[in-house]
Amino acid sequence: HLVTDLDSVGGAIGAAELYGGKAALASEVNSETAFALEEFGVTLPPKIEDVVEENPNAKICLVDHQQTTQMNHAINPDQVVGCIDHHALQNKTIVTDRPIYIDIRPWGSMSTIIAHTFLTHNRRPSISVAGMLLCAILSDTLNLQGPTTTEWDKLMVAVLSEIAEVDDIEALAAAQFKAKSRELAGLSANGLVNGDQKSFSFSTDSFAGDVGFGVVETTDDA
C-alpha cells in the first residue's frame, strides 16, 4: 500500500514465495524495512509501476490493504485478483466485477496470515523470508505488546524465529525499532502527520467529507 511499511513489504515477499508470484513496492521503503531487508539478505523488490509497465496484464493481489485510497495509482482495479489483509472493512474498499481471492483475518499483522498459510500448506518458508515475516509481525504488533496482538501472532513469532535462526527476539525487535526511530527523528511535523495516514469518508447531519487519521509509532526515545 501507499506509504509502504514493513508488514506490507515483508508480507508481499512472503506471499510471493508462497504463491509463486512477484513482490512489488507501492512506494519507497522506510528505514525499518531497509534494516530488515539488509539483516536477512533480501533484495529490494521492484516498484509496482515498473512491474505494470513491463506486464500491463499482470494479475495483482493486494496485501495489507483493501481501500482504493491506499492503492498505488498504477494498479488497474480490473487486474486485482486477490486481497490478503488484517484491517477492518471500512469505506472505499475495492469493488470488483468478479469474485476474487480474499483472506482477511483479525490478527495483529498481515504477515502472520502468510506465515500461518505456509504451515497449513505444509510449506516451510526460506530462512530469509521467515526473517522478513518475523520482523513484520514484530513491527505491526510492537514486539507483541500492541493492543491488536493475538495468540496467533505470538505463535507465528515463535515458529518463524526458529526457522530464521533468531536466538534473541528482543534484540532483533530493539534493533529494528531503533532503525525506525532514526527516520522519524528527521521528519517534519507535516511528514509525521502524513507519513502513515488513512482517509475515511463520513456523512452526518453536521459534516460530510473525508477525515484522515495519521499514526506515528516509536519505541525508542533516543
Side-chain angles (χ1 to χ4, degrees), residues 7-22:
D7 192 31
S8 59
V9 176
I13 291 171
E17 181 172 275
L18 175 62
Y19 294 109
K22 176 188 290 187

Side-chain angles (χ1 to χ4, degrees), residues 108-130:
S109 166
M110 186 275 294
S111 292
T112 303
I113 300 173
I114 299 300
H116 182 265
T117 306
F118 264 107
L119 301 185
T120 58
H121 286 194
N122 293 317
R123 297 272 305 281
R124 182 185 180 94
S126 62
I127 292 176
S128 59
V129 167

Side-chain angles (χ1 to χ4, degrees), residues 5-184:
D5 61 12
L6 183 47
D7 192 31
S8 59
V9 176
I13 291 171
E17 181 172 275
L18 175 62
Y19 294 109
K22 176 188 290 187
L25 301 176
S27 63
E28 298 296 326
V29 300
N30 60 27
S31 55
E32 184 185 28
T33 304
F35 164 84
L37 291 167
E38 181 178 356
E39 180 75 10
F40 290 98
V42 178
T43 302
L44 183 72
K47 296 179 179 179
I48 185 63
E49 293 92 338
D50 296 336
V51 173
V52 171
E53 182 178 357
E54 179 182 340
N55 183 6
N57 296 318
K59 303 303 182 184
I60 296 172
C61 179
L62 305 178
V63 295
D64 203 31
H65 72 294
Q66 23 69 22
Q67 288 182 298
T68 55
T69 53
Q70 291 291 301
M71 284 174 53
N72 184 288
H73 296 304
I75 297 175
N76 180 353
D78 292 336
Q79 300 301 116
V80 174
V81 296
C83 174
I84 305 172
D85 192 20
H86 68 122
H87 296 101
L89 298 172
Q90 302 272 340
N91 52 30
K92 298 185 178 178
T93 296
I94 186 172
V95 176
T96 63
D97 292 332
R98 61 185 182 282
I100 65 173
Y101 176 80
I102 296 287
D103 191 348
I104 299 178
R105 311 183 201 182
W107 295 354
S109 166
M110 186 275 294
S111 292
T112 303
I113 300 173
I114 299 300
H116 182 265
T117 306
F118 264 107
L119 301 185
T120 58
H121 286 194
N122 293 317
R123 297 272 305 281
R124 182 185 180 94
S126 62
I127 292 176
S128 59
V129 167
M132 289 300 299
L133 293 173
L134 172 61
C135 286
I137 298 172
L138 294 176
S139 178
D140 253 29
T141 65
L142 295 177
N143 194 16
L144 304 178
Q145 299 302 307
T148 61
T149 304
T150 68
E151 292 302 314
W152 287 110
D153 301 302
K154 297 176 182 178
L155 177 59
M156 290 303 105
V157 162
V159 171
L160 292 169
S161 62
E162 182 72 20
I163 297 174
E165 301 176 355
V166 174
D167 296 325
D168 193 335
I169 296 174
E170 297 297 324
L172 175 63
Q176 71 179 66
F177 292 158
K178 184 174 288 290
K180 181 177 184 177
S181 296
R182 280 199 299 270
E183 182 173 279
L184 293 176

